[in-house]
């Protein structure tokens, strides 16, 4: 069977795109290896009607809704390669060595995070350390907060200051602040610590103290970090997709890339802001673009 669209990635962008395309009576298949960027997060926020939902629960609800549309298939398989086999068709090969053909490809593969170089940071990430203050700032408001960052230090510190005035910035010996940026922070009572961090202390994922290289302990209850991110695969690069200034896949407002019949949505394209509701919205927009292009191509053939 040939599909109208193959969707790679089962996060909010891919799932919402599948929903919109299924409602447009398009034959779509979605491949998802369930390696979500937010798999360690206990709650997701900022999604209207679903504020505070567990990411796994949101995914479960979405998959249940997709079952109402007979032209949507969801496969728990990892896509390994995408190959253009003609001017308007692609083949996707999965880890099970199955091959699927489609006219359109939607890359909704998300991003992969790498945490700052602090020993043991993974024990706290998603429980008391977070990356997005818009997603988790309300829950930690007015608490003693840490900003641990080696890039975009000033920007993140300014954002977090909205939720708590009890804030210490840790550059971990790698982050850089301009003199005027440091002065701006310190004027507002935000302490800047440039020492290398030797670890974090706490139990059951709850941060209690930040430990400096010289053994000094600084009490903190929660914090925000700036992970390094990367694309989880090379699909966009190998297909020839251009990248935007943030390093995401460059698209127009309907998810079209510079490569014919290849679209992108979600964090892999948007980069910032990275929120569930933004990703879902971009998936919907890409689906509308895909369906519109399929419709126009059909009518052009009949003229």
């Amino acid at each position: 069977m040939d599909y109208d669209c193959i969707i790679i990635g089962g996060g909010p962008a891919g799932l919402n795109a599948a929903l919109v395309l299924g409602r447009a009576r398009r034959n779509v298949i979605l491949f998802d290896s369930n390696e979500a960027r937010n798999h360690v997060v206990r709650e997701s926020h900022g999604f209207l009607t679903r504020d505070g939902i567990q990411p796994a629960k949101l995914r479960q609800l979405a998959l249940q809704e997709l079952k109402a549309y007979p032209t949507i298939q969801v496969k728990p398989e990892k896509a390994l390669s995408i190959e253009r086999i003609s001017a308007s068709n692609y083949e996707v090969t999965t880890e099970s060595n199955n091959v699927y053909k489609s006219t359109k490809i939607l890359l909704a593969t998300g991003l992969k995070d790498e945490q700052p170089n602090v020993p043991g940071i993974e024990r706290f990430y998603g429980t008391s350390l977070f990356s997005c203050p818009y997603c988790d700032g309300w829950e930690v408001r007015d608490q003693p907060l840490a900003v641990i960052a080696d890039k975009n230090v000033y920007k993140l510190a300014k954002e977090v200051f909205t939720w708590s005035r009890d804030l210490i910035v840790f550059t971990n010996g790698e982050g850089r602040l301009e003199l005027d940026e440091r002065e701006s922070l310190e004027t507002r009572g935000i302490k800047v610590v440039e020492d290398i961090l030797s670890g974090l202390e706490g139990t059951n994922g709850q941060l209690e103290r930040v430990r400096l290289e010289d053994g000094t302990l600084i009490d903190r209850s929660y914090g925000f970090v700036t992970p390094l991110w990367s694309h989880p695969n090379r699909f966009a690069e190998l297909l020839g997709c251009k990248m935007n200034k943030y390093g995401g896949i460059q698209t127009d407002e309907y998810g079209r890339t510079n490569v014919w019949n290849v679209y992108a949505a979600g964090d892999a394209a948007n980069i910032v802001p990275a929120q569930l509701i933004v990703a879902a919205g971009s998936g919907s927009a890409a689906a509308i673009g895909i369906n519109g292009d399929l419709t126009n191509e059909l009518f052009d053939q009949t003229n």
Side-chain angles (χ1 to χ4, degrees):
M1 175 182 179
D2 290 352
Y3 294 90
D4 294 313
C5 183
I6 291 177
I7 301 172
I8 312 295
L15 292 168
N16 214 69
L19 175 63
V20 173
L21 287 169
R23 289 178 57 80
R25 309 179 73 180
R26 297 299 183 183
N27 290 313
V28 299
I29 185 167
L30 182 151
F31 294 106
D32 179 36
S33 55
N34 196 18
E35 298 174 333
R37 186 184 190 186
N38 66 348
H39 72 280
V40 299
V41 177
R42 295 183 178 182
E43 295 182 350
S44 296
H45 295 279
F47 202 122
L48 195 63
T49 78
R50 291 293 181 265
D51 191 47
I53 194 171
Q54 294 179 343
K57 179 63 175 179
L58 182 65
R59 171 184 162 82
Q60 178 186 352
L61 291 171
L63 291 173
Q64 186 63 37
E65 289 180 353
L66 294 185
K67 291 179 180 178
Y69 302 94
T71 60
I72 300 174
Q73 292 187 53
V74 177
K75 293 281 188 181
E77 291 189 58
K78 188 172 186 176
L80 294 184
S81 66
I82 304 173
E83 182 180 357
R84 188 170 186 170
I85 57 174
S86 69
S88 59
N89 285 284
Y90 290 85
E91 281 187 348
V92 172
T93 302
T94 69
E95 60 186 350
S96 300
N97 207 32
N98 295 317
V99 178
Y100 300 84
K101 296 181 181 179
S102 175
T103 303
K104 311 289 187 183
I105 297 290
L106 174 59
L107 300 176
T109 52
L111 295 172
K112 182 179 179 180
D113 286 338
E114 179 182 343
Q115 300 306 322
N117 185 26
V118 179
I121 195 169
E122 296 82 4
R123 295 191 294 118
F124 302 92
Y125 188 67
T127 303
S128 55
L129 290 178
F130 312 96
S131 61
C132 173
Y134 290 98
C135 300
D136 299 288
W138 171 260
E139 282 66 36
V140 301
R141 63 193 183 280
D142 298 326
Q143 296 294 315
L145 302 184
V147 164
I148 302 173
D150 55 15
K151 64 172 185 173
N152 298 325
V153 183
Y154 184 59
K155 178 178 182 297
L156 181 59
K158 288 194 301 180
E159 290 177 345
V160 174
F161 190 66
T162 299
W163 284 274
S164 179
R165 299 299 190 258
D166 188 352
L167 178 61
I168 299 177
V169 173
F170 298 89
T171 66
N172 195 28
E174 298 178 1
R176 294 290 180 266
L177 282 167
E178 300 296 333
L179 180 60
D180 61 331
E181 293 175 342
R182 173 186 283 276
E183 291 177 347
S184 177
L185 295 178
E186 292 179 342
T187 298
R188 289 162 178 79
I190 302 173
K191 184 179 179 180
V192 177
V193 177
E194 295 185 328
D195 303 62
I196 293 175
L197 306 186
S198 63
L200 304 171
E201 295 187 359
T203 56
N204 298 321
Q206 179 58 58
L207 179 66
E208 297 173 6
R209 290 170 294 275
V210 176
R211 187 173 66 250
L212 307 185
E213 192 174 40
D214 64 4
T216 301
L217 295 173
I218 300 177
D219 292 342
R220 295 287 91 184
S221 299
Y222 297 93
F224 290 88
V225 302
T226 53
L228 296 175
W229 59 262
S230 60
H231 292 278
N233 53 59
R234 298 180 61 206
F235 293 154
E237 177 187 351
L238 294 175
L239 289 169
C241 297
K242 292 181 179 179
M243 297 296 173
N244 60 35
K245 64 180 181 179
Y246 299 108
I249 304 169
Q250 182 174 305
T251 70
D252 68 6
E253 63 271 27
Y254 287 104
R256 302 181 186 93
T257 72
N258 62 295
V259 179
W260 181 248
N261 285 340
V262 177
Y263 304 73
D267 290 357
N270 299 330
I271 305 296
V272 289
Q275 281 192 300
L276 291 180
I277 198 164
V278 174
S282 72
S284 179
I288 291 171
I290 291 167
N291 184 65
D293 291 345
L294 286 166
T295 299
N296 290 335
E297 290 158 14
L298 173 64
F299 275 77
D300 289 345
Q301 291 174 2
T302 58
N303 289 335

